[in-house]
Amino acid sequence: MLKLEYPSNVGPLLHIALWLGFLSIGLFVPIATNWYLAVPLIILLSLLNLSLTIGVMHMHTHRPLFVSHRPNRAVDILCSLPGNLTAAEMREVHVLNHHRFNDGPGDVTTTVGYERGLSAIWYWVRYGAIVKYNTMRTIFAADPTPRRRKTRHQFIFDLAMYVAIIGTTWYFVDFNRFVLFYWVPFFITQVNAGYFAWLSHAPAREYEDDPSTSLNNAGNILNFLIFNQGYHSVHHRYPGIHWSQIPDKLDYMRKVDPGVIVPYWMVAQSGWRLAVPGGFLNERYGNKWKARLETRLETDTVRNRFLPWFAWI
């Protein structure tokens, strides 16, 4: 049954369709290799890669997009194609491990010891390998529980589907085009995914109160594109709610220190802030944003007027 859990889930499905469409343009449209088309196409594919790998897969693992099993498994496989991140990895490492230990002892993706300098960059680059290694170590351990055995079978199947789909496509299309429009965005996504995971917690490590231990990317346009998932403190407080319900929980942001509320995007291009002490924090912007939030809460206008699925502060 192709029934969405929430009508708003058409948004994440649109991102999947856009990724497939732009990739097809790159692989099959003759003029796509002209630099003035190739460069923006690679940028779009890299952003959509990150959306599917970290955004859509993330929300889908917390709350499946459909109400039935088979369509959800199709989404699992489609979201694994841009960055080779399977649903099993997202569940084991992020949902079950990261949300339990929240970047502290026991979190296999902890940023402790990787807050600054070259160690931070090293974290960004190897994040994908950390996720895959710890997933395999967990699900291939001896005497697994029935749930872990099921996850193991799912992981093997999804990885085999990834190899078959990507391998077959590469075989039948132009070699150079596939490198340009698949592998270049793929490797950019590996770094962006690691940067996003690092950015979510490492710069906020100086704060001890629980609401402020996550960095919040609060820009309106960004949260429109990533389905309200920039409000990371809200996500950690309410990890099981649907993304369209996040605006109803933004009163929680009142407890968040303004320093960890920032306007920039969570892609590696903002990584230059690593060279500036405290460069990832922005108390001035946070105070202004919290003032706007208070006004929106008082007037009950937290949601976008025209697209009420989204927050607009």
Side-chain angles (χ1 to χ4, degrees):
M1 179 188 299
L2 286 176
K3 182 180 179 182
L4 296 169
E5 186 197 21
Y6 283 81
S8 54
N9 284 344
V10 69
L13 293 179
L14 178 61
H15 277 215
I16 296 174
L18 286 171
W19 179 77
L20 290 169
F22 283 122
L23 181 61
S24 298
I25 290 172
L27 296 181
F28 300 113
V29 176
I31 63 171
T33 53
N34 292 327
W35 71 267
Y36 53 85
L37 292 178
V39 171
L41 194 53
I42 290 170
I43 293 172
L44 282 171
L45 283 168
S46 299
L47 291 173
L48 286 166
N49 274 17
L50 186 64
S51 172
L52 268 62
T53 302
I54 297 297
V56 178
M57 177 72 89
H58 171 241
M59 69 177 80
H60 174 64
T61 309
H62 278 287
R63 290 285 294 261
L65 300 185
F66 290 93
V67 298
S68 52
H69 176 71
R70 288 185 179 180
N72 283 325
R73 289 293 290 127
V75 172
D76 289 347
I77 293 168
L78 286 169
C79 286
S80 75
L81 297 180
N84 191 21
L85 176 73
T86 64
E89 294 166 66
M90 181 64 78
R91 177 167 179 79
E92 290 295 328
V93 172
H94 178 78
V95 176
L96 298 179
N97 181 269
H98 175 66
H99 272 277
R100 179 182 179 186
F101 297 109
N102 194 22
D103 200 45
D107 188 341
V108 298
T109 59
T110 181
T111 61
V112 175
Y114 300 95
E115 295 92 345
R116 298 175 181 84
L118 292 177
S119 62
I121 297 173
W122 179 234
Y123 181 97
W124 307 348
V125 171
R126 70 189 188 100
Y127 175 77
I130 293 172
V131 170
K132 200 166 292 292
Y133 168 76
N134 281 283
T135 299
M136 295 178 69
R137 187 184 67 172
T138 301
I139 64 177
F140 287 100
D143 301 319
T145 62
R147 184 196 65 77
R148 283 244 164 90
R149 186 177 290 109
K150 181 180 179 180
T151 302
R152 177 196 297 178
H153 295 158
Q154 177 183 317
F155 174 77
I156 293 172
F157 179 82
D158 290 4
L159 201 58
M161 288 295 295
Y162 171 84
V163 172
I165 294 170
I166 298 302
T168 301
T169 306
W170 197 4
Y171 178 81
F172 283 106
V173 304
D174 180 78
F175 180 91
N176 292 329
R177 281 177 175 267
F178 200 82
V179 169
L180 189 63
F181 295 112
Y182 180 79
W183 289 117
V184 170
F186 174 94
F187 286 111
I188 292 173
T189 300
Q190 302 308 306
V191 178
N192 274 338
Y195 176 70
F196 173 79
W198 178 91
L199 184 65
S200 297
H201 294 285
R205 184 159 295 284
E206 65 183 73
Y207 298 92
E208 296 182 358
D209 59 303
D210 192 57
S212 304
T213 56
S214 297
L215 199 76
N216 295 269
N217 305 84
N220 288 325
I221 295 176
L222 174 65
N223 278 289
F224 170 75
L225 295 174
I226 64 173
F227 307 103
N228 299 320
Q229 292 182 90
Y231 305 108
H232 207 74
S233 293
V234 177
H235 171 62
H236 269 269
R237 176 62 181 84
Y238 305 101
I241 66 172
H242 188 260
W243 65 267
S244 64
Q245 296 172 322
I246 289 175
D248 297 330
K249 302 296 184 181
L250 285 187
D251 60 327
Y252 184 72
M253 294 292 292
R254 288 168 162 163
K255 302 178 182 180
V256 176
D257 190 280
V260 295
I261 302 173
V262 299
Y264 54 84
W265 289 27
M266 66 282 276
V267 290
Q269 286 85 343
S270 63
W272 62 266
R273 290 173 170 80
L274 192 65
V276 181
F280 289 100
L281 306 178
N282 195 329
E283 186 172 357
R284 181 180 178 183
Y285 173 84
N287 280 319
K288 290 181 178 179
W289 185 90
K290 292 188 77 172
R292 294 199 303 270
L293 174 66
E294 286 298 328
T295 301
R296 293 282 188 171
L297 288 171
E298 290 172 4
T299 57
D300 195 24
T301 55
V302 168
R303 291 179 177 272
N304 185 290
R305 178 181 176 184
F306 302 103
L307 292 170
W309 298 331
F310 300 91
W312 199 265
I313 306 301

